[in-house]
Amino acid sequence: MRRAEVIRRTKETDIRLAVNLDGGPVEVSTGIGFFDHMLQSFAFHAGFGLKAEVKGDTHVDAHHTVEDTGIALGQALREALGEKIGIARFSCEHVPMDEALARAAVDISGRPFLRFDAEFPQAMIGAFDSCLTEEFMRALCFNGMFTLHLSVLYGNNAHHMTEALFKACALALKRAFSVEGDGVPSTKGVL
């Protein structure tokens, strides 16, 4: 059963999130249209079932909502993976989106790290600050306990660049989380 549920309540956000690594329905509501679109696309391309009901202080801005959703999703992914028996562990994926090309490389190592290499030419995508893509990905990998390298190789539309990053990350996680064997993929014997 590769699934988990996380409830996160702070003075800034109220989040109920459930993930199933082996598929299922995708229902996302964060109050931020573009972010909903990114999470739906992320879950679809990762092959995850995802239910995320998020209420945040969006009257301030979207930062707390986006970052806390990344925290909750990372925690859920880590819990759903369990002991990581048989997973592929590594993956690297490229995704084109019109003029933009993004790359995601991941190691489900138990060691959180983010390398983020993208400069967005537009500051806003609807009500979503472009810089929040990095905040979300940092929260995701640090709470999921994995190494993630993300880069936009080129592009000039922040929407396309961001969507390509989310999709590349999703595909990389799908491959890295896939079960290929029956042991822990590490010479140390643990991840």
Side-chain angles (χ1 to χ4, degrees), residues 81-150:
L81 271 176
E83 298 298 314
K84 304 174 192 161
I85 305 297
I87 65 167
R89 180 179 169 181
F90 301 101
S91 183
C92 184
E93 298 286 344
H94 288 80
V95 168
M97 179 106 189
D98 296 346
E99 86 299 341
L101 180 65
R103 176 179 57 219
V106 67
D107 176 8
I108 311 303
S109 60
R111 296 183 307 277
F113 182 82
L114 175 67
R115 167 68 185 205
F116 190 89
D117 187 15
E119 292 184 26
F120 301 106
Q122 296 86 33
M124 299 295 293
I125 308 166
F128 184 86
D129 294 295
S130 298
C131 67
L132 294 180
T133 301
E134 182 174 2
E135 296 301 323
F136 172 79
M137 295 300 182
R138 180 177 292 107
L140 179 72
C141 72
F142 272 75
N143 287 274
M145 299 293 288
F146 55 85
T147 295
L148 179 61
H149 290 247
L150 291 171

